Amino acid sequence: MGLERPADRAPIPGGPAHRDLLDRWLARLGRRCRPALAVAPWSSGFGLARTLLATGTCATLLVNPPAILLSMDSADGCTGPAAAGIWCVLPARQGQLAGWIGIAVLVVVASGWRPRWTALPHWYISWSVIANLSALDGGDHITATLSLLLLPVALTDPRRWHWQPPPAGTAIGAGRVVAHAALVLVWLQVAIVYLHACIAKLGVTEWADGTAMFYWLRTPGYEPPVFLRPLAEAATSSAVGVTLFTWSVLALEFALTVARLLPAGLRRVLLVAGLAFHIGIAVVLELVTFGLAMSGALLLYLLPVGHQVRLPATVVARVRGARRAWQVTRAGGPSAVDVPQKHLGA
Protein backbone atom coordinates (compact mmCIF):
# COMPACT_ATOMS: atom_id res chain seq x y z
CA MET A 1 0.00 0.00 0.00
CA GLY A 2 3.11 2.27 -0.07
CA LEU A 3 3.12 2.63 3.70
CA GLU A 4 6.58 2.82 5.29
CA ARG A 5 7.51 0.33 7.95
CA PRO A 6 7.87 1.53 11.53
CA ALA A 7 11.61 0.76 11.43
CA ASP A 8 12.07 3.14 8.48
CA ARG A 9 10.45 6.09 10.12
CA ALA A 10 12.53 9.02 11.32
CA PRO A 11 12.98 9.30 15.10
CA ILE A 12 10.19 11.20 16.80
CA PRO A 13 11.42 14.64 17.93
CA GLY A 14 11.98 14.50 21.66
CA GLY A 15 12.16 10.72 21.60
CA PRO A 16 14.95 8.58 23.06
CA ALA A 17 17.13 8.80 19.92
CA HIS A 18 17.03 12.61 19.90
CA ARG A 19 17.70 12.81 23.63
CA ASP A 20 20.70 10.52 23.25
CA LEU A 21 22.03 12.67 20.39
CA LEU A 22 21.56 15.83 22.46
CA ASP A 23 23.35 14.25 25.45
CA ARG A 24 26.32 13.28 23.26
CA TRP A 25 26.48 16.77 21.75
CA LEU A 26 26.38 18.46 25.17
CA ALA A 27 29.06 16.09 26.49
CA ARG A 28 31.30 16.93 23.53
CA LEU A 29 30.68 20.66 24.03
CA GLY A 30 31.51 20.32 27.73
CA ARG A 31 34.81 18.58 26.99
CA ARG A 32 35.83 21.35 24.60
CA CYS A 33 34.82 24.18 26.95
CA ARG A 34 36.28 22.74 30.15
CA PRO A 35 39.90 23.92 29.48
CA ALA A 36 38.68 27.49 28.88
CA LEU A 37 36.42 27.42 31.94
CA ALA A 38 39.36 26.31 34.07
CA VAL A 39 40.68 29.90 33.80
CA ALA A 40 38.85 32.40 36.01
CA PRO A 41 37.71 35.40 33.92
CA TRP A 42 38.15 37.94 36.75
CA SER A 43 41.58 39.45 36.24
CA SER A 44 43.38 42.77 36.47
CA GLY A 45 43.29 42.89 32.67
CA PHE A 46 39.51 42.92 32.87
CA GLY A 47 39.80 45.51 35.62
CA LEU A 48 42.03 47.77 33.53
CA ALA A 49 39.47 47.68 30.71
CA ARG A 50 36.69 48.72 33.15
CA THR A 51 38.89 51.54 34.42
CA LEU A 52 39.47 52.88 30.90
CA LEU A 53 35.77 52.72 30.05
CA ALA A 54 34.80 54.56 33.25
CA THR A 55 37.60 57.13 32.83
CA GLY A 56 36.41 58.04 29.34
CA THR A 57 32.86 58.74 30.50
CA CYS A 58 34.10 60.57 33.58
CA ALA A 59 36.29 62.82 31.40
CA THR A 60 33.27 63.68 29.24
CA LEU A 61 31.32 64.80 32.31
CA LEU A 62 34.22 66.71 33.83
CA VAL A 63 35.27 68.64 30.72
CA ASN A 64 31.85 69.59 29.33
CA PRO A 65 29.46 71.81 31.33
CA PRO A 66 25.82 70.70 31.65
CA ALA A 67 24.66 73.46 29.29
CA ILE A 68 26.58 71.73 26.48
CA LEU A 69 25.86 68.16 27.50
CA LEU A 70 22.11 68.31 28.05
CA SER A 71 20.05 67.41 25.00
CA MET A 72 16.69 68.60 26.32
CA ASP A 73 15.59 72.17 26.96
CA SER A 74 12.66 71.13 29.13
CA ALA A 75 10.97 68.15 30.68
CA ASP A 76 9.59 67.32 27.23
CA GLY A 77 12.93 65.71 26.44
CA CYS A 78 12.43 63.17 29.22
CA THR A 79 10.02 60.91 27.39
CA GLY A 80 10.06 57.21 26.72
CA PRO A 81 13.00 55.18 28.06
CA ALA A 82 15.09 58.36 28.40
CA ALA A 83 12.87 59.41 31.32
CA ALA A 84 14.68 56.80 33.45
CA GLY A 85 18.08 58.45 32.86
CA ILE A 86 19.69 60.14 35.81
CA TRP A 87 19.55 63.60 34.18
CA CYS A 88 15.75 63.25 33.98
CA VAL A 89 15.36 61.71 37.42
CA LEU A 90 17.57 64.42 39.03
CA PRO A 91 17.16 67.57 36.90
CA ALA A 92 18.08 69.92 39.76
CA ARG A 93 20.56 72.75 39.06
CA GLN A 94 20.29 72.23 35.31
CA GLY A 95 21.72 68.74 35.58
CA GLN A 96 24.72 69.60 37.76
CA LEU A 97 23.58 67.33 40.59
CA ALA A 98 23.21 64.34 38.26
CA GLY A 99 26.57 65.16 36.69
CA TRP A 100 28.44 65.17 39.99
CA ILE A 101 26.76 61.96 41.11
CA GLY A 102 27.76 60.37 37.80
CA ILE A 103 31.36 61.54 38.24
CA ALA A 104 31.48 60.15 41.78
CA VAL A 105 30.16 56.77 40.64
CA LEU A 106 32.62 56.58 37.74
CA VAL A 107 35.57 57.47 39.97
CA VAL A 108 34.68 54.56 42.25
CA VAL A 109 34.31 52.25 39.24
CA ALA A 110 37.67 53.36 37.84
CA SER A 111 39.33 52.76 41.21
CA GLY A 112 38.39 49.09 40.95
CA TRP A 113 36.57 48.82 44.28
CA ARG A 114 33.95 46.06 44.58
CA PRO A 115 33.14 45.31 40.91
CA ARG A 116 30.08 43.34 42.01
CA TRP A 117 28.58 46.40 43.69
CA THR A 118 29.58 49.00 41.08
CA ALA A 119 28.57 47.06 37.95
CA LEU A 120 24.95 48.20 37.80
CA PRO A 121 25.68 51.87 38.70
CA HIS A 122 28.39 51.88 36.00
CA TRP A 123 25.97 50.67 33.35
CA TYR A 124 23.22 53.04 34.52
CA ILE A 125 25.43 56.13 34.30
CA SER A 126 26.85 55.03 30.93
CA TRP A 127 23.35 54.42 29.57
CA SER A 128 22.06 57.71 30.99
CA VAL A 129 24.83 59.55 29.12
CA ILE A 130 23.66 58.31 25.72
CA ALA A 131 19.97 58.62 26.68
CA ASN A 132 20.06 62.17 28.07
CA LEU A 133 23.13 63.98 26.78
CA SER A 134 24.05 65.37 23.38
CA ALA A 135 27.80 66.13 23.32
CA LEU A 136 28.73 62.53 22.56
CA ASP A 137 30.99 60.47 20.31
CA GLY A 138 31.07 56.80 19.35
CA GLY A 139 33.04 55.98 22.48
CA ASP A 140 30.07 56.78 24.71
CA HIS A 141 27.87 54.31 22.82
CA ILE A 142 30.59 51.66 22.94
CA THR A 143 30.95 52.17 26.70
CA ALA A 144 27.20 51.88 27.30
CA THR A 145 27.03 48.66 25.29
CA LEU A 146 30.09 47.06 26.88
CA SER A 147 29.11 48.01 30.44
CA LEU A 148 25.80 46.22 29.79
CA LEU A 149 27.46 43.11 28.32
CA LEU A 150 29.96 43.04 31.20
CA LEU A 151 27.26 42.92 33.87
CA PRO A 152 27.40 39.09 34.16
CA VAL A 153 31.19 39.23 34.53
CA ALA A 154 31.23 41.99 37.14
CA LEU A 155 28.22 40.74 39.10
CA THR A 156 29.91 37.35 39.56
CA ASP A 157 33.30 38.88 40.43
CA PRO A 158 34.21 37.75 43.99
CA ARG A 159 37.10 40.18 44.46
CA ARG A 160 37.26 43.28 46.64
CA TRP A 161 39.30 45.15 44.00
CA HIS A 162 39.37 44.41 40.30
CA TRP A 163 43.17 44.71 40.36
CA GLN A 164 43.50 41.55 42.47
CA PRO A 165 43.92 38.02 41.08
CA PRO A 166 40.87 35.78 41.54
CA PRO A 167 40.70 33.74 44.76
CA ALA A 168 42.68 30.52 44.55
CA GLY A 169 40.72 27.32 44.22
CA THR A 170 37.57 28.93 42.81
CA ALA A 171 35.39 26.10 41.51
CA ILE A 172 33.84 25.99 38.06
CA GLY A 173 30.27 26.99 38.81
CA ALA A 174 27.36 28.68 37.11
CA GLY A 175 28.84 32.14 37.77
CA ARG A 176 32.03 31.34 35.90
CA VAL A 177 30.12 29.83 32.97
CA VAL A 178 27.90 32.90 32.72
CA ALA A 179 30.92 35.23 32.91
CA HIS A 180 32.71 33.37 30.10
CA ALA A 181 29.57 33.46 27.95
CA ALA A 182 29.32 37.22 28.50
CA LEU A 183 32.94 37.68 27.40
CA VAL A 184 32.18 35.80 24.17
CA LEU A 185 29.35 38.28 23.52
CA VAL A 186 31.80 41.13 24.17
CA TRP A 187 34.19 39.63 21.60
CA LEU A 188 31.40 39.43 19.03
CA GLN A 189 30.36 43.01 19.72
CA VAL A 190 33.87 44.41 19.31
CA ALA A 191 34.44 42.37 16.14
CA ILE A 192 31.18 43.74 14.69
CA VAL A 193 32.27 47.30 15.53
CA TYR A 194 35.50 46.92 13.56
CA LEU A 195 33.79 45.09 10.70
CA HIS A 196 31.17 47.80 10.40
CA ALA A 197 33.84 50.52 10.52
CA CYS A 198 35.78 48.84 7.71
CA ILE A 199 32.80 48.10 5.46
CA ALA A 200 31.27 51.54 5.96
CA LYS A 201 34.52 53.21 4.87
CA LEU A 202 34.69 51.13 1.70
CA GLY A 203 31.42 52.74 0.60
CA VAL A 204 33.00 56.21 0.73
CA THR A 205 34.86 57.27 -2.42
CA GLU A 206 37.76 58.91 -0.58
CA TRP A 207 38.44 55.80 1.48
CA ALA A 208 38.14 53.48 -1.51
CA ASP A 209 40.54 55.52 -3.66
CA GLY A 210 43.01 56.04 -0.81
CA THR A 211 42.75 59.82 -0.33
CA ALA A 212 40.64 60.04 2.85
CA MET A 213 43.50 60.78 5.25
CA PHE A 214 44.59 63.72 3.09
CA TYR A 215 41.21 65.38 3.64
CA TRP A 216 40.73 64.29 7.25
CA LEU A 217 44.02 65.79 8.41
CA ARG A 218 43.21 69.10 6.70
CA THR A 219 39.59 69.45 7.82
CA PRO A 220 39.05 72.35 10.27
CA GLY A 221 38.43 70.95 13.72
CA TYR A 222 40.25 67.69 12.97
CA GLU A 223 43.74 69.00 12.25
CA PRO A 224 46.50 67.42 14.33
CA PRO A 225 48.22 69.48 17.04
CA VAL A 226 50.73 72.03 15.81
CA PHE A 227 53.75 69.92 16.73
CA LEU A 228 52.43 66.99 14.64
CA ARG A 229 51.34 68.93 11.55
CA PRO A 230 54.69 68.74 9.72
CA LEU A 231 54.74 64.95 10.17
CA ALA A 232 51.12 64.61 9.01
CA GLU A 233 51.74 66.78 5.96
CA ALA A 234 54.85 64.81 5.07
CA ALA A 235 52.97 61.50 5.33
CA THR A 236 50.14 62.71 3.09
CA SER A 237 51.99 64.93 0.63
CA SER A 238 52.59 62.16 -1.94
CA ALA A 239 50.08 59.89 -3.66
CA VAL A 240 51.87 56.76 -2.43
CA GLY A 241 52.12 58.00 1.15
CA VAL A 242 48.50 59.06 1.51
CA THR A 243 47.26 55.86 -0.16
CA LEU A 244 49.30 53.62 2.14
CA PHE A 245 48.24 55.68 5.14
CA THR A 246 44.55 55.46 4.24
CA TRP A 247 44.45 51.81 3.27
CA SER A 248 46.50 50.77 6.31
CA VAL A 249 43.58 51.92 8.47
CA LEU A 250 41.19 49.67 6.51
CA ALA A 251 43.60 46.75 6.69
CA LEU A 252 44.04 47.13 10.46
CA GLU A 253 40.29 47.33 11.07
CA PHE A 254 39.67 44.19 9.03
CA ALA A 255 42.52 42.38 10.81
CA LEU A 256 41.01 43.34 14.16
CA THR A 257 37.66 41.99 12.98
CA VAL A 258 39.08 38.47 12.64
CA ALA A 259 41.68 38.77 15.42
CA ARG A 260 39.97 36.27 17.76
CA LEU A 261 40.35 33.60 15.07
CA LEU A 262 44.12 34.11 14.81
CA PRO A 263 46.92 32.51 16.87
CA ALA A 264 47.79 34.07 20.21
CA GLY A 265 51.03 35.58 18.91
CA LEU A 266 49.24 37.49 16.14
CA ARG A 267 46.59 38.63 18.60
CA ARG A 268 49.30 40.21 20.76
CA VAL A 269 50.71 42.04 17.73
CA LEU A 270 47.24 43.28 16.76
CA LEU A 271 46.55 44.38 20.33
CA VAL A 272 49.66 46.58 20.32
CA ALA A 273 48.83 47.89 16.84
CA GLY A 274 45.23 48.59 17.80
CA LEU A 275 46.18 50.42 20.98
CA ALA A 276 48.73 52.50 19.06
CA PHE A 277 46.04 53.26 16.45
CA HIS A 278 43.55 54.53 19.02
CA ILE A 279 46.18 56.46 20.97
CA GLY A 280 47.13 58.08 17.67
CA ILE A 281 43.50 59.04 17.04
CA ALA A 282 43.29 60.48 20.56
CA VAL A 283 46.41 62.60 20.04
CA VAL A 284 46.00 63.62 16.40
CA LEU A 285 42.24 64.16 16.25
CA GLU A 286 41.91 64.97 19.98
CA LEU A 287 39.21 62.32 20.46
CA VAL A 288 40.52 61.32 23.88
CA THR A 289 37.35 59.78 25.32
CA PHE A 290 36.84 57.74 22.16
CA GLY A 291 40.42 56.50 22.42
CA LEU A 292 39.91 55.46 26.05
CA ALA A 293 36.69 53.59 25.24
CA MET A 294 38.17 51.72 22.28
CA SER A 295 41.36 50.91 24.20
CA GLY A 296 39.23 49.34 26.92
CA ALA A 297 37.27 47.43 24.27
CA LEU A 298 40.50 46.13 22.72
CA LEU A 299 41.79 44.88 26.06
CA LEU A 300 38.56 42.95 26.62
CA TYR A 301 38.72 41.62 23.07
CA LEU A 302 42.33 40.58 22.69
CA LEU A 303 43.84 40.06 26.14
CA PRO A 304 43.85 36.39 27.14
CA VAL A 305 41.06 35.53 29.55
CA GLY A 306 42.40 35.74 33.08
CA HIS A 307 45.44 37.84 32.09
CA GLN A 308 46.99 39.65 35.06
CA VAL A 309 48.48 43.05 34.23
CA ARG A 310 51.87 43.43 35.88
CA LEU A 311 52.71 46.90 37.18
CA PRO A 312 56.32 48.16 37.21
CA ALA A 313 58.24 47.17 40.35
CA THR A 314 58.63 50.81 41.46
CA VAL A 315 54.86 51.37 41.33
CA VAL A 316 54.22 48.18 43.30
CA ALA A 317 56.78 49.18 45.93
CA ARG A 318 55.23 52.63 46.38
CA VAL A 319 51.72 51.21 46.65
CA ARG A 320 52.85 48.71 49.28
CA GLY A 321 54.70 51.45 51.18
CA ALA A 322 51.63 53.69 51.15
CA ARG A 323 49.46 50.81 52.34
CA ARG A 324 51.84 50.02 55.22
CA ALA A 325 51.93 53.69 56.22
CA TRP A 326 48.13 53.85 56.18
CA GLN A 327 47.90 50.71 58.32
CA VAL A 328 50.34 52.18 60.86
CA THR A 329 48.37 55.44 60.93
CA ARG A 330 45.09 53.62 61.43
CA ALA A 331 46.64 51.63 64.28
CA GLY A 332 47.59 54.86 66.08
CA GLY A 333 51.10 55.37 64.73
CA PRO A 334 54.42 53.99 65.97
CA SER A 335 55.17 54.12 69.66
CA ALA A 336 57.98 56.24 71.09
CA VAL A 337 60.06 53.11 71.61
CA ASP A 338 60.06 52.45 67.86
CA VAL A 339 60.92 56.02 66.84
CA PRO A 340 64.64 56.85 66.40
CA GLN A 341 65.96 59.31 68.98
CA LYS A 342 66.77 61.98 66.42
CA HIS A 343 63.02 62.32 65.80
CA LEU A 344 62.46 62.94 69.54
CA GLY A 345 64.69 65.96 69.60
CA ALA A 346 67.61 64.14 71.27
Side-chain angles (χ1 to χ4, degrees):
M1 298 294 293
L3 298 176
E4 59 182 357
R5 294 175 299 174
D8 298 330
R9 294 176 183 170
I12 301 174
H18 278 80
R19 286 196 294 270
D20 184 60
L21 179 63
L22 179 61
D23 290 342
R24 291 200 301 271
W25 184 82
L26 290 175
R28 190 181 307 116
L29 179 63
R31 286 194 298 271
R32 300 190 69 171
C33 293
R34 194 170 291 113
L37 293 174
V39 179
W42 311 292
S43 64
S44 56
F46 161 71
L48 177 58
R50 287 186 77 233
T51 294
L52 292 177
L53 293 174
T55 301
T57 309
C58 188
T60 298
L61 300 181
L62 280 171
V63 173
N64 299 285
I68 294 177
L69 288 174
L70 288 174
S71 60
M72 58 273 188
D73 298 325
S74 65
D76 295 337
C78 293
T79 58
I86 190 172
W87 277 269
C88 291
V89 175
L90 299 173
R93 299 182 181 178
Q94 298 180 336
Q96 291 184 11
L97 176 60
W100 284 114
I101 291 175
I103 290 169
V105 168
L106 293 168
V107 167
V108 175
V109 173
S111 73
W113 182 75
R114 298 290 187 186
R116 181 176 290 181
W117 296 357
T118 59
L120 277 170
H122 184 200
W123 168 76
Y124 176 65
I125 297 298
S126 301
W127 174 79
S128 296
V129 165
I130 65 171
N132 298 152
L133 305 184
S134 58
L136 309 175
D137 58 33
D140 298 299
H141 292 271
I142 290 292
T143 298
T145 302
L146 292 181
S147 61
L148 174 62
L149 294 177
L150 288 174
L151 281 178
V153 188
L155 289 173
T156 57
D157 194 334
R159 299 171 296 170
R160 183 175 182 180
W161 297 90
H162 70 203
W163 306 109
Q164 297 172 325
T170 306
I172 300 177
R176 184 179 294 195
V177 174
V178 170
H180 274 273
L183 286 177
V184 172
L185 292 179
V186 169
W187 299 344
L188 289 174
Q189 176 63 58
V190 178
I192 289 171
V193 167
Y194 283 111
L195 179 62
H196 180 269
C198 181
I199 293 177
K201 288 182 177 67
L202 289 174
V204 179
T205 302
E206 289 78 11
W207 281 101
D209 64 19
T211 60
M213 294 308 298
F214 177 87
Y215 298 109
W216 265 111
L217 296 177
R218 288 166 174 78
T219 300
Y222 291 96
E223 311 102 318
V226 175
F227 69 93
L228 285 177
R229 288 180 188 176
L231 180 61
E233 290 176 0
T236 58
S237 59
S238 67
V240 174
V242 73
T243 300
L244 290 176
F245 195 3
T246 301
W247 286 352
S248 66
V249 174
L250 299 176
L252 177 60
E253 288 178 338
F254 181 76
L256 290 171
T257 299
V258 299
R260 288 301 314 183
L261 304 177
L262 301 177
L266 288 177
R267 288 204 299 270
R268 286 193 292 269
V269 172
L270 286 174
L271 174 59
V272 173
L275 291 174
F277 173 60
H278 288 298
I279 292 172
I281 290 177
V283 173
V284 175
L285 302 181
E286 299 182 355
L287 298 174
V288 177
T289 57
F290 177 76
L292 288 170
M294 290 309 301
S295 296
L298 270 177
L299 292 177
L300 292 169
Y301 182 47
L302 294 181
L303 274 183
V305 175
H307 180 79
Q308 298 296 326
V309 177
R310 292 177 175 83
L311 296 175
T314 54
V315 175
V316 174
R318 290 187 179 184
V319 170
R320 288 176 176 171
R323 184 167 58 184
R324 283 195 296 268
W326 176 76
Q327 290 172 343
V328 169
T329 303
R330 188 176 63 172
S335 63
V337 176
D338 300 325
V339 178
Q341 291 299 311
K342 63 179 181 181
H343 293 302
L344 298 178

